Amino acid sequence: MTAVQIVFLAVAALTLAAAVMVVSLRRMMQSALALILALVGVAVIFALLGSGFFAVSQVVVYIGAIAILIIFAVMLTQNSMSPEHSQMNPGFLYAALGSALLFSSLVFILSMWVGFYAIPVNLDPSVDTITVLGLSLTDPQGFALPFEIVSVLLLAALIGGIYIARDHHRD
Amino acid sequence: MTFWTDPIGLLDAWLFAVLTGWGLPADVSRIILYILGGFVLATGAMVFTVFLIWLERKLIGRFQDRFGPNRVGPFGIFQTVADMLKIFTKEFITPDGADLIPYNLAPILSVAGVLFVWAVLPFAINMLGVNLNVGVLYVVAAGAIGELGMILAGWGSNNKFALIGAFRAIGQMISYEVPMILTLLVPVMFTGSMGLNDIVKAQNPWFVVVAPLAAFIFFISQVAENARAPFDLTEAESELVAGFNIEYSGLKFGMFYVAEFLHAFTISVLFAVIFLGGWLGPGAEKYPWLGLLYTMIKTTVVFFTILLMRAGLPRFRIDQVMDLNWKLFTPLAIGILIVTAVVDKSLALFTPTIRVLGLLAANLVMLLVTLRFLKIFAQKKRRPLVVPSASTELPDDISEVLL
């Protein structure tokens, strides 16, 4: 086992534990913090895979923006969960069974794929992955159309947000 | 490879040889060296803060016509050491009803958010943690972690003043990230890379010359991110007692303190690296120690300016802070980005001198247009609020009323 594998296993275990804590902790603020820990774990896994750009984007977008938004929402919705109530739905056993079945069938299907057992090869260090990514996002043969559609969607969300936030009583 | 041309590479190769000589596999030694490097960098930065706090207190003292620390050691230079020892011995007080995990995590995240940045700062051509190819984005991400620390401190303390401080932190810091990122795109656009060392190497001439407006907005946004005067709304003592860190004592408070002072220095290095040419200077490529000297000289100039602002300017109101950001900096930053991109690309075929002059002219035009708009805005604002109606009789001679 190489050192990178040990780091990977430690980080993966931490990420999964944090993900379980998100749904199991009693206080919502601590759940939000556990969510941040899980997201950091995913960022570290991106970094281990040699994709620094995705690792940093993960931190900027998910921790810098979304997690702070979630914390803000938690601050404004205090006491939405009382400590006495059970955290489980009555039918949680069926749900657990269903998800376990889905997970095992997904693993089974994936195990028939060639790439499942492949050992990851190191990327060619002479190729700058961000440049490749940037070019493919602006290349008409690549992902230019989906990229532009996403930007239109974001613009629509921005305009919608400004419209909702406006004070309608004034005019 | 000697001590004078590549000190860090030499040290690294020597330690690697020592570790592998002990029989450790190569990749394990690499990881141990990475951890060691991070540890040394972080500790060095924290110890350096001891000096910074003394320097800042001394300089602010001079700005305000007093002596500053002057009792412990020559020029009071050991004052911070004494303060540090005192703060180590202080009791940790945890307020009733505090949410313990956020409360204790907050000081750590605050310091970590600043120390993360040091991993990518190029002090000289080969004196840097790592030349990350997403360096600029990484700096922004590190800032987000510092903000998280402030918010958690405000929330976890179970104190309304701390919570108001945290709300202000959210409002102010996240808002000022917008113009900061937009203006950071200008140097990235000139360089074609997000690595900080690549940005330094591409600065011919310095980016502050070709993009002065972007540099100005970046500087102000960074000071606002640091949340110190005139932007210290998160800990405005006349309004919030002490803001988000009101419930902290002992070393936990000390960590917020260290984070703030180290952040001020870090943004100075960052500004020197991104806009003032970093380690560039005569002979810096051959002798990295000379590059370190150039970086430090440029950093000191920026740091001095930040201190002067802190000592000389009164605090803004929160609505003024938000107005400045959303009504002036953000639109202006978007404008700068578009105009700079168009001008730079259309002048790319000409000689460098023409390109620089064209960019300067574009900046001047943008500045004049902005000032014109600001003047119109100011005149609109200064319209008299109370218009005397026809029934109000004004006295013929104002001095009669006054008497």
Side-chain angles (χ1 to χ4, degrees):
Chain A
M1 198 146 55
T2 63
V4 175
Q5 279 173 327
I6 296 171
V7 174
F8 168 77
L9 283 179
V11 171
L14 188 72
T15 310
L16 288 179
V20 171
M21 272 153 67
V22 173
V23 287
S24 65
L25 282 177
R26 282 279 171 186
R27 306 182 88 154
M28 272 178 81
M29 193 65 175
Q30 297 182 353
S31 296
L33 291 180
L35 180 65
I36 292 174
L37 190 61
L39 294 171
V40 171
V42 175
V44 174
I45 289 174
F46 275 133
L48 283 177
L49 287 172
S51 178
F53 178 71
F54 281 120
V56 175
S57 309
Q58 171 90 7
V59 175
V60 171
V61 174
Y62 281 96
I63 296 172
I66 291 182
I68 288 181
L69 203 66
I70 288 175
I71 287 180
F72 206 35
V74 170
M75 282 180 178
L76 295 175
T77 54
Q78 257 198 85
N79 303 330
S80 64
M81 202 165 72
S82 72
E84 290 86 35
H85 281 175
S86 166
Q87 282 174 304
M88 301 289 189
N89 271 335
F92 83 96
L93 265 178
Y94 302 105
L97 200 69
S99 10
L101 210 65
L102 183 66
F103 180 72
S104 48
S105 53
L106 273 178
V107 170
F108 176 69
I109 293 168
L110 271 178
S111 68
M112 292 198 272
W113 175 47
V114 185
F116 192 72
Y117 298 102
I119 295 163
V121 281
N122 279 331
L123 293 171
D124 184 3
S126 63
V127 179
D128 191 2
T129 47
I130 312 180
T131 316
V132 178
L133 179 75
L135 286 177
S136 68
L137 283 181
T138 48
D139 183 13
Q141 305 298 320
F143 304 99
L145 189 64
F147 185 66
E148 291 304 322
I149 290 173
V150 167
S151 59
V152 170
L153 185 73
L154 284 177
L155 184 67
L158 266 177
I159 295 172
I162 292 170
Y163 180 76
I164 292 171
R166 257 184 62 188
D167 190 0
H168 294 286
H169 295 293
R170 201 179 287 166
D171 42 37
Chain B
M1 196 157 63
T2 68
F3 180 70
W4 296 109
T5 55
D6 189 5
I8 293 179
L10 188 74
L11 200 66
D12 180 67
W14 177 70
L15 277 174
F16 188 70
V18 168
L19 284 177
T20 44
W22 289 347
L24 288 171
D27 59 339
V28 175
S29 333
R30 208 33 45 219
I31 284 181
I32 291 176
L33 278 187
Y34 283 156
I35 293 171
L36 197 69
F39 184 75
V40 167
L41 192 68
T43 314
M46 300 271 273
V47 171
F48 185 59
T49 316
V50 175
F51 168 71
L52 275 182
I53 291 174
W54 169 78
L55 181 71
E56 176 152 359
R57 289 183 60 188
K58 197 82 185 165
L59 281 174
I60 296 258
R62 289 295 177 179
F63 288 143
Q64 295 170 345
D65 204 9
R66 31 184 195 92
F67 285 117
N70 62 351
R71 294 284 150 169
V72 193
F75 307 106
I77 196 163
F78 296 125
Q79 180 65 52
T80 324
V81 180
D83 288 346
M84 203 171 68
L85 290 178
K86 186 190 78 174
I87 224 166
F88 278 146
T89 60
K90 279 201 168 183
E91 184 190 356
F92 291 135
I93 299 168
T94 307
D96 271 353
D99 200 344
L100 283 181
I101 296 178
Y103 179 78
N104 291 316
L105 203 59
I108 301 171
L109 285 182
S110 274
V111 177
V114 183
L115 287 179
F116 275 140
V117 180
W118 279 62
V120 291
L121 289 179
F123 290 98
I125 185 162
N126 48 21
M127 277 185 211
L128 72 168
V130 56
N131 185 22
L132 211 58
N133 58 3
V134 285
V136 169
L137 209 56
Y138 176 86
V139 170
V140 176
I145 291 171
E147 283 161 24
L148 199 62
M150 257 186 202
I151 295 166
L152 292 184
W155 170 260
S157 301
N158 191 27
N159 180 311
K160 64 181 166 206
F161 293 117
L163 193 60
I164 295 173
F167 281 144
R168 284 184 174 185
I170 298 174
Q172 179 181 329
M173 316 230 146
I174 294 182
S175 306
Y176 273 88
E177 263 186 9
V178 177
M180 191 187 89
I181 295 174
L182 285 172
T183 46
L184 267 178
L185 282 177
V186 172
V188 170
M189 203 161 61
F190 286 144
T191 315
S193 164
M194 286 198 279
L196 286 180
N197 215 11
D198 301 333
I199 289 180
V200 171
K201 284 178 193 159
Q203 296 196 35
N204 182 32
W206 296 356
F207 285 158
V208 73
V209 177
V210 286
L213 275 183
F216 177 73
I217 293 183
F218 177 73
F219 178 71
I220 301 289
S221 314
Q222 285 278 283
V223 175
E225 283 271 308
N226 189 4
R228 56 170 33 200
F231 293 100
D232 56 347
L233 276 311
T234 54
E235 43 187 319
E237 56 276 271
S238 51
E239 303 157 26
L240 300 177
V241 192
F244 66 94
N245 58 17
I246 183 171
E247 292 288 2
Y248 286 85
S249 65
L251 199 56
K252 288 181 196 166
F253 172 75
M255 286 177 87
F256 282 117
Y257 196 71
V258 163
E260 191 203 321
F261 279 77
L262 190 61
H263 197 173
F265 185 76
T266 311
I267 60 176
S268 313
V269 183
L270 211 56
F271 187 82
V273 162
I274 294 177
F275 284 104
L276 295 183
W279 46 261
L280 284 188
E285 298 216 358
K286 210 170 167 205
Y287 302 102
W289 292 99
L290 215 53
L292 182 67
L293 183 69
Y294 295 142
T295 314
M296 283 302 152
I297 291 173
K298 290 166 185 173
T299 305
T300 314
V301 173
V302 183
F303 189 60
F304 195 80
T305 317
I306 291 177
L307 290 192
L308 201 56
M309 278 175 72
R310 186 187 176 201
L313 292 177
R315 183 181 300 132
F316 281 123
R317 284 197 320 260
I318 187 75
D319 60 321
Q320 292 171 328
V321 168
M322 300 310 265
D323 274 4
L324 182 70
N325 180 58
W326 290 111
K327 294 181 183 165
L328 178 62
F329 279 178
T330 306
L332 186 58
I334 295 174
I336 289 171
L337 189 63
I338 295 169
V339 170
T340 313
V342 170
V343 172
D344 190 42
K345 278 294 163 203
S346 50
L347 294 181
L349 296 175
F350 295 90
T351 58
T353 322
I354 293 180
R355 179 179 155 260
V356 170
L357 287 178
L359 283 169
L360 263 181
N363 269 284
L364 191 67
V365 171
M366 279 188 288
L367 180 69
L368 290 178
V369 171
T370 314
L371 288 180
R372 184 72 211 146
F373 269 113
L374 283 180
K375 202 175 172 192
I376 295 169
F377 181 70
Q379 279 167 348
K380 237 195 238 168
K381 268 227 149 161
R382 279 186 206 140
R383 237 178 240 162
L385 290 176
V386 182
V387 183
S389 62
S391 62
T392 322
E393 288 236 346
L394 289 172
D396 292 333
D397 190 359
I398 196 84
S399 60
E400 281 176 25
V401 184
L402 291 176
L403 287 169

